[in-house]
Amino acid sequence: MQLNSDFTKRVVVLPHQQQWQDSPMPGVSRLMLDRAGGEVARATSLVRYAPGCGYHAHRHDGGEEILVLEGVFSDEHGDYPPGTYLRNPPGSSHTPFSEKGCLLLVKLWQFSPADKAQLVLPSQHSHFVPGIAPGLTVLPLHEFDGVSTALVRFAPHTRFHPHIHPGGEEILVLEGLFCDELGQYPAMSWLRNPRYSQHQPFTGAEGALIYVKVGHLGAGLLGDQFIAPHP
């Protein structure tokens, strides 16, 4: 499968456009945002566990990144409430489940080959720090070899300066209404801006909280092997 796998193109998936599908595991559904490969794939998805459902023990040869959006996600290592950020490095294994159900952002096969660190960050107890523009605060989640991931909060009526993303940018809107000169993106919107794209983000009265990853497009990540060439 090649879904939104031409990383030279801008992609926007708004909430009303989203189509959930059953996964091979009963009680687990997913919304595919981008995907290159089969069941083993470089993939970005929203994944929903029904109460009492989960997966059998499995290994992540390409690594797994998770942000818990709703409910409590669990495995044999612990329980992870909303806001928890996890990184399971290449070669790690676990048996995930959710007793009461949960919603996750999951990214597979998007690790640098040299990134071996296991990470569990309970971001709900962490503190945002001032950003580089008034009204902007940032909670860094992870950085490795030029690829950075963070939660960014825009206060109401915040306007960021126009800027370029040499390594691309990916955004999931978690709260509020995120805007730029190209459109408006309510909560649960997903955007991917290609390398060297430019925009000027801003918010209105609602403000916004976003998950944002930069520098990962064209970065030589493990899953790039699954991407089919595009003209």
Side-chain angles (χ1 to χ4, degrees):
M1 174 183 286
Q2 298 289 323
L3 173 67
N4 295 327
S5 61
D6 184 349
F7 294 95
T8 67
K9 296 183 182 291
R10 184 173 190 264
V11 182
V12 177
V13 181
L14 298 173
H16 70 273
Q17 300 170 323
Q18 296 174 356
Q19 296 183 341
W20 288 82
Q21 303 175 24
D22 292 335
S23 79
M25 188 61 61
V28 180
S29 58
R30 59 193 179 188
L31 169 64
M32 298 181 187
L33 299 170
D34 66 28
R35 192 173 188 90
E39 267 308 305
V40 177
R42 182 202 188 283
T44 301
S45 308
L46 297 179
V47 179
R48 188 181 299 278
Y49 286 62
C53 293
Y55 278 88
H56 53 74
H58 60 276
R59 173 184 166 106
H60 289 290
D61 289 329
E64 177 187 50
E65 175 187 354
I66 295 173
L67 179 65
V68 183
L69 304 176
E70 299 174 5
V72 177
F73 174 69
S74 302
D75 61 16
E76 67 271 36
H77 307 297
D79 300 317
Y80 314 107
T84 305
Y85 178 73
L86 304 98
R87 291 180 68 85
N88 296 317
S92 61
S93 62
H94 67 158
T95 307
F97 64 94
S98 181
E99 290 187 356
K100 296 185 179 180
C102 64
L103 176 64
L104 314 173
L105 172 68
V106 180
K107 297 176 72 67
L108 301 174
W109 283 89
Q110 297 181 50
F111 275 58
S112 165
D115 187 359
K116 307 294 187 182
Q118 184 101 24
L119 176 64
V120 177
L121 179 62
S123 59
Q124 67 273 19
H125 300 305
S126 302
H127 297 289
F128 284 68
V129 299
I132 61 175
L136 204 68
T137 54
V138 179
L139 176 59
L141 298 175
H142 181 261
E143 194 281 328
F144 188 90
D145 198 22
V147 179
S148 298
T149 307
L151 300 182
V152 179
R153 188 179 298 280
F154 287 71
H157 304 294
T158 294
R159 182 170 291 271
F160 197 46
H161 56 77
H163 58 283
I164 294 173
H165 292 288
E169 177 191 49
E170 182 178 331
I171 291 170
L172 178 66
V173 182
L174 304 177
E175 298 174 7
L177 183 67
F178 178 74
C179 308
D180 63 14
E181 66 272 33
L182 301 174
Q184 298 185 344
Y185 318 102
M188 301 311 295
S189 299
W190 181 78
L191 304 82
R192 196 186 67 214
N193 296 314
R195 297 182 66 196
Y196 295 101
S197 57
Q198 176 175 312
H199 71 154
Q200 183 175 17
F202 63 92
T203 54
E206 303 92 339
L209 175 66
I210 64 173
Y211 157 98
V212 58
K213 180 181 285 289
V214 297
H216 60 307
L217 302 184
L221 305 181
L222 287 169
D224 291 355
Q225 62 184 296
F226 298 116
I227 299 171
H230 291 83

